[in-house]
Amino acid sequence: MKKRVAIITLDCYNNFGNRLQNYALRETIKALGLDADCLFDQRYAAYQPIRKFQTFSEKHIQEIKYDITNNENWAKFNAKYDYFVVGSDQVWAPHFTSVTSVLPLFFLQFAPKGKRVAYAASFGMPEIPAELRAKYSIGLLGMNRISLREKSGAAIVQNLCALDAPVLPDPSLLLDKEKWLSIARPHAGKPKKPYMAVNYVIQGAEGDIKYIQALAAKLGLAIVDLNALAMKNEIGPAEYLDYVNDAALVCTDSFHNCAFSILFHKPFVVFTSHNERVSTRIDSLLETYGLMDRRFSQFREEKVYDVDFTKADETLRTERSRAIAYLREALGLEDAGLQPGAIVEKAQCTGCTACFNACPNGCITMQADAEGFLYPHIDEESCIHCDLCREACPSLYQRALPKEKTRAFACRNKDEATRLASSSGGVFSLLSQNTVANGGVVFGAIYDEDFSVKHAYAESAEALWRFRGSKYTQSRIGTAYRDAKAFLETGREVLFSGTACQIAGLLQYLGKAYGNLTCVDVVCYGTPSPLAWKQYLAYREAAAGARLTSVNLRCKENGWHGYNVKYEFENGSVYCSTAMDDPYIYAFMANDTLRRSCFACHYKTTDRMADLTMADFWGVEGVMPELDDNKGTSLVLVHSEKGLKLLQALRDRMDCRETELQAALKANPLATSCAPVGAQRMNLACELEKGRLCTENAF
């Protein structure tokens, strides 16, 4: 049975480009072997409808009308369609979508995330107004696949959500000239003599109008105002195609007029001085196809008919291939949309390394990108296509969450020295000591010799101190999953700690439950770039004039609530700062250095895969003031019977009291919600390249 796709776009019944791109997207999806319908809520048509446009739509697009306010319609459509595609055209333009009831429609929020696809969507302007940025961020992060029509649109998505979205051609460019001319129809009033086809420019700047009139007179061309003919109901989209194809010259400030001029190899000149919004999207088109010299500001009159479309044709072939690959992957036909050698999309990859550990042939390497984050890369030549890497990926296959009710406890280690050396209440030290005392092995994040962060294991009490303290950068898992499995298979007890996504990676990699495994995750703010950390350490050493000897990112010399950092160096110098005055911590807390997947984290919930979750018990002074001495108190969330028994076994070595879950989470919002995208997150790679991200001169 064919998959069914529904297309949602603007419904402009007096706009050539809108109707034609809608037709083209439907035809392209149908050509992939899918059924495609176009949904239309007539109450939100962008313009007053014109009969010839309605006739064209009824014949070639065959829209299905619906009422946007009727939830029963959406239930019916969700049952009928496998995917919903929004686009192309200016579906996300604020001047079209700022109406409260329309914005969720164009972000497909009525459908499950897995069904939401955007094809070559346009914002219609270079930036989103400040008052709408939050709504747009939510809408964009809720999409399953996003592609944009303009580079400026890709920049907006990167700015709002730190997501890389491909720029793909407008649907009108996906069909060849022959396909378009098959539905073109001549207009009875078309001039017999050579003419200049003009679209929208007559409504523009007075200087442009006078120049066009003078140029037409000089070239001996009649002027045909396509927009005026449409408004008089003399022509529709079918006649428009014929007019453009037969024109001697096209003068326009219309995006789609430029697109069809490129398709039909028509000489054209672009006038956009009066309209910045139009200029942004047309410039993206002209730049892509090597035709910037067709802008009036660069136009040479003596070469009015001299247009070289060679590069445009070559680019068009490449762009069509990219577009089809994107649609095939986005609509569930194949994985063609992934980058070569990738396992999952970048925005979904947490860097857990489960795939790397699962590969039996060693053909996966973890490679750092320009932002310093590790991503898996498959060597296709050595790959044996066993698919174990994908089976181990927690982003592709999410495990069921435990059914036990989560309970919350306030805890603190009775050994004050250990507690002061820990980030919060020193509870993990007790857990790890108990594990090695029973002959087990503890896994966690440690500082390497150069203060980079990696996962390692310890089998003795003397080595456990390295796990203490917060380490605010993403740790390298390396072979830790394999090592843990080897210990588990021998029957030894294993305590594995990490972020929630690292625990998910471990469990998916293992593929089965182990009674001798205990998992502990942390309430994670997000994982900052290892490259940003490396550069900051180099900056601190240069400032001190000596090598670093110790790092304490949660120094308690001024109390737990103070949140201070301390760096010590070989020459005896010391750097201390409050967290928010420290450039690295400031950038971290501003969400400017976090991994992309952190902004749409699947594990921000009280129901977790780990047996225990640990965090600072911020707000403990208002919940259990008797456990707040400003030296650190841990919040421990218990998710399993195993976790509860372990915590109870340590009660004689710590102060531990149960509390109401919601009260405990009141001052810990990041336990259940993602960090918002930082204002400077889109500049991360650029600032890292400059080598000055986390310095006093950053940004």
Side-chain angles (χ1 to χ4, degrees), residues 356-398:
F356 165 77
N357 280 271
C359 180
N361 208 38
C363 60
I364 296 179
T365 54
M366 300 299 295
Q367 300 180 6
D369 68 353
E371 296 174 344
F373 294 105
L374 296 178
Y375 291 90
H377 180 81
I378 302 174
D379 180 357
E380 297 291 351
E381 291 187 4
S382 60
C383 179
I384 59 175
H385 303 288
C386 63
D387 248 10
L388 291 178
C389 56
R390 289 179 172 82
E391 291 176 12
C393 178
S395 294
L396 292 176
Y397 301 96
Q398 294 185 24

Side-chain angles (χ1 to χ4, degrees), residues 4 192 198 214 216 234 247 276 315 319 326 351 354 358 363 400 404 454 457 540 555 562 574 579 602 616 620 638 641:
R4 300 186 64 89
K192 303 297 183 184
V198 178
E234 291 190 32
E276 183 180 355
T315 302
E319 291 298 289
Y326 170 88
C363 60
E404 288 90 342
K454 69 176 184 180
Y457 64 84
R540 286 265 69 97
C555 179
V574 178
H602 298 297
D616 290 275
V620 67
V638 179
E641 186 65 26

Side-chain angles (χ1 to χ4, degrees), residues 16-68:
F16 300 119
N18 172 266
R19 295 292 80 202
L20 294 171
Q21 66 83 19
N22 195 182
Y23 166 81
L25 184 56
R26 180 170 183 253
E27 290 298 304
T28 299
I29 292 174
K30 286 168 58 182
L32 296 177
L34 306 175
D35 286 334
D37 295 328
C38 299
L39 305 184
F40 169 45
D41 185 339
Q42 193 168 3
R43 296 179 308 119
Y44 289 95
Y47 301 101
Q48 185 68 30
I50 296 174
R51 181 174 54 79
K52 278 191 174 289
F53 285 76
Q54 289 180 311
T55 301
F56 177 87
S57 298
E58 291 167 1
K59 181 177 181 180
H60 294 292
I61 302 178
Q62 302 171 355
E63 293 164 314
I64 297 174
K65 294 180 173 60
Y66 65 91
D67 179 358
I68 191 175

Side-chain angles (χ1 to χ4, degrees), residues 461-486:
E462 292 75 23
L464 296 177
W465 65 271
R466 302 185 72 186
F467 298 127
R468 292 181 191 142
S470 297
K471 301 167 182 72
Y472 295 135
T473 187
Q474 187 164 29
S475 66
R476 306 187 312 274
I477 289 290
T479 61
Y481 292 168
R482 292 181 200 164
D483 298 337
K485 183 177 182 180

